[in-house]
Amino acid sequence: MQIPYTVQLRSDTGLFNAKLGVWLFLASEVMLFGALFSSYVLLRVGADHWPHGWEELNIPLATLNTVVLISSSVTMVMSWASLKMSNFKKYKLYMGLTILCALIFLVVKAFEYGHKFEIGHYPSYNTFLAIYFTLTGLHGLHVIGGIVLNTYLWGPGSYMWKTEPERFTNRVEVAGLYWHFVDLVWIFLFPVLYLL
Amino acid sequence: MDQLVATAPHDVGAHAHHEELGFWRKYIFSIDHKIIGLQYGISALLFLFFGFTLMMLMRWQLAHPNYPIPAMYFIVPIAVIGIVILLVSKFKPSLSMLVGLLFLGVAALVSYLTSGEDRMPGGIMLPEFYNQLGAMHGTIMVFLGVVPLAVGAFGNYVVPLQIGAPDMAFPKLNAASYWSYFVGGVVMLVSFFVPGGAANSGWTSYSPLANTATTGQTFWLIGMVFLITSSLLGSVNFITTIIQLRAKGMTFMRLPFFVWAQFVTSFLLLLAFPPLEAAGILQLMDRLAGTSFFLPSGLVVAGQPLQVSGGGHPILWQHLFWFLAHPEVYVLILPAMGILGEVIANNTRKPLWGYKSLVYAVIFLGFMSFIVWAHHMFLTGMGTVISAFFQTTTMIISIPSVIILTALIISLWGGSIRFTTPMLFALAFLPMFGIGGLTGLPLGLAPTDIHLHDTYYVIGHFHYVVAPGSLFALFAGIYYWYPKVTGRKMSDVMGKIHFWGSFVSINIVFLPMFIQGFAGVSRRLSDGAQQYAHAQSVLPWNEVMSIGAWVLGVFQIVFIFNFFWSLRRGETVNENPWQATTLEWSAAPTPPPHGNFIKVPEVYRGPYEYSVPGKSRDYTPQNEAD
């Protein structure tokens, strides 16, 4: 038994299954983060006192992380483009760089968290830190998920390139869509938490 | 249910390469949408049964507050059901044997719950334990019973067959969805055994009550995260399948109404559940990391000021919760309406009246369901302007509901109705859902809601929608599709006993709730309002309702017996015993093999071409060329 349209595009929708699936998944993710951002707005509007992000958080480190994540999005596209041009070696390089950038992001984030914990600023300290840790923590989990996924596609999963190159390219494209979404969430998190 | 293997056609081409699998690989670790549908169905029915048992215990307490419960009257019948099923299965590894063992498990669980000093000292139910039962009854019925049965079971089994697909678009995700649901269910059950027992803050889990509740609440939240993940995976799969895997010629306007209902339902699950996940994460943070998302400043609990940073908003929880939970109501009802469309068209031998209006109504309903949530919150003090907005949208959403119900009723007009068991349940749905819907109007209008809010009237209202509404439609679906799954019909005589018994007794359970609600009896009272001076005149109804509930329980035993008896003794059927037009009957073998169709079907016409003038038969299947 063969499921149709795992690789070919269905003519009336112009999509293969996984691409539609990941867009739907991302729609759901938008609702998840949308609800959390809405909560942030409501909590802040209703608070007597709300600290400015720059008073509490480290903007240079976050800026560095923003640059790192945007770079990883670029390398992610390059890795997919390399597969499209049938250059598997370049794919390995760019996908490796994507994973590396994601790891750098997490290390920097760990330093930020560590510093907060050192001075006793736990999530229970105030509602600003509570929502900061919740949002960035959930985003961090998404980054970890992306690392796991991309590492699989970089390592063991890449054997599919030899057997079903087209399907493998589709997988990288779909993983890329997810990864861009994770970046996009950070693009919203950075100004909302650090700059406003 | 090991019969399924025996009756499957072995000579068909699509089936030839498919070796016989052992029990574990065939039924437990399957990625076939039909088996996953069965897994969902059996798990959900068992959870429904367990949730129902919790309610029957509660009804004892309401009818006879502070008298010891005769627990054996509940435990022994359940254990006997389990033993009978085990005997029927002859102890061979099969789904029947598994179900028999699970019934014994339920009996053991109930005997655990009805003992213990912190639950029922001397057999008398403590109010704290009553609260656990209330919260878990709601949670289990909604999230582990009706939704998995309506979407997980019927959606999984029927949708790919009806659109002419070999399977779901992502079979492995489908299995992951079931197992995530399974883990969620186990976490919920385990919570009964942790110190302080299961969650006891109602199925709505309102803050700050839920923030300060016992450990069971944390389990509830973790369980919910698994259930939300499950429905996320499921809904992505359904939408992709319906958009991508329709057979050639199956245009959107040729989809059976059931598929449309599942399609819209999946969008609700996809987009409405994540905000509850967000809320769950925030409440978990409150409980585990000591944050104050839902805790206001200066909160005093049991005479002690709470040591938290404060500054949160309890109302925020309600907004996030109801943003899910109102669309969730439509998740409960839309698949049921879809089943109704199939059963009514088939048994009236007529096309559904107003197919297009039904489709547009269901889409509009799905859209509107996202902007009515705060009608659950008129009494929170959120302000008259917001209340006015939400009561307006609530009145608007009743329009598509009425369109659907009216179209289904008009479909009956002039039909030569076959009063089969599924049709009886479908016919009963119409007035029952009507009562449920109409009693919702006073709740949707803020001024009348002030009087009725949080009374038994509300309980009567939504149970009329969900129990003799959704659940009756789901029973119709079970009787209707059972022959496709097993190759045998369920006994009509037992089916009719089940129907009439349930129909009468379920009204005895729920109708008096309106009377009590009008009299001002609040919900969630563990003594059935004994302490209310103003409610004394309506208290005798408590016993009537409880007897109704137990009688209803007895009639469900007929259903369980019929279900297993018919596996062996039911009348054997051919591919299309109901002479239906849709693909699962007209194009797939009975039971359908792995991959569903021997030859990929092609669709030439709409879903309900019954009694077409000039045709020799009174039904023209969708895959029949002109």
Side-chain angles (χ1 to χ4, degrees), chain B residues 182-192 218-220 222-223 226:
Chain B
F182 181 83
V183 173
V186 169
V187 171
M188 291 289 184
L189 290 181
V190 166
S191 72
F192 279 108
T218 305
F219 277 71
W220 187 89
I222 293 168
F226 278 102

Side-chain angles (χ1 to χ4, degrees), chain A residues 10 13 15 17 28 31 124 127, chain B residues 168 232 244 246 271 290 310 595:
Chain A
R10 185 180 161 112
T13 60
L15 293 165
N17 295 343
S28 160
M31 294 302 287
S124 54
T127 306
Chain B
M168 296 284 273
L232 165 66
Q244 289 283 93
R246 281 167 293 126
L271 301 176

Side-chain angles (χ1 to χ4, degrees), chain B residues 577-592:
Chain B
W578 306 115
Q579 300 176 309
T581 49
T582 43
L583 291 181
E584 83 273 31
W585 299 106
S586 64
T590 294

Side-chain angles (χ1 to χ4, degrees), chain A residues 57-58 61-62 65 102-116 132-133 135-137 139-140 186 189 193-194:
Chain A
L57 306 170
N58 189 331
L61 277 183
N65 254 350
L103 288 170
I104 293 172
F105 176 88
L106 283 183
V107 170
V108 172
K109 204 79 216 143
F111 274 109
E112 278 191 78
Y113 274 25
H115 177 68
K116 290 278 159 305
Y132 162 78
F133 277 111
L135 276 168
T136 54
H139 176 257
W186 178 256
L189 281 177
L193 291 174
Y194 289 78

Side-chain angles (χ1 to χ4, degrees), chain B residues 346 349 418 574 576-582 585-586 605 608-612 615-622 624:
Chain B
N346 179 259
R349 317 305 293 163
R418 300 192 302 206
N574 63 3
N576 195 354
W578 306 115
Q579 300 176 309
T581 49
T582 43
W585 299 106
S586 64
R605 57 189 73 246
Y608 304 114
E609 300 221 347
Y610 287 104
S611 306
V612 180
K615 293 273 183 187
S616 57
R617 293 178 304 180
D618 73 343
Y619 67 106
T620 317
Q622 285 192 280
E624 193 174 286

Side-chain angles (χ1 to χ4, degrees), chain A residues 31-71:
Chain A
M31 294 302 287
L32 175 64
F33 281 99
L36 287 169
F37 276 111
S38 308
S39 305
Y40 167 88
V41 171
L42 290 171
L43 287 167
R44 180 165 185 166
V45 167
D48 299 331
H49 170 72
W50 192 269
H52 289 288
W54 67 80
E55 301 161 0
E56 290 276 344
L57 306 170
N58 189 331
I59 292 183
L61 277 183
T63 312
L64 171 66
N65 254 350
T66 310
V67 174
V68 167
L69 264 198
I70 292 177
S71 315

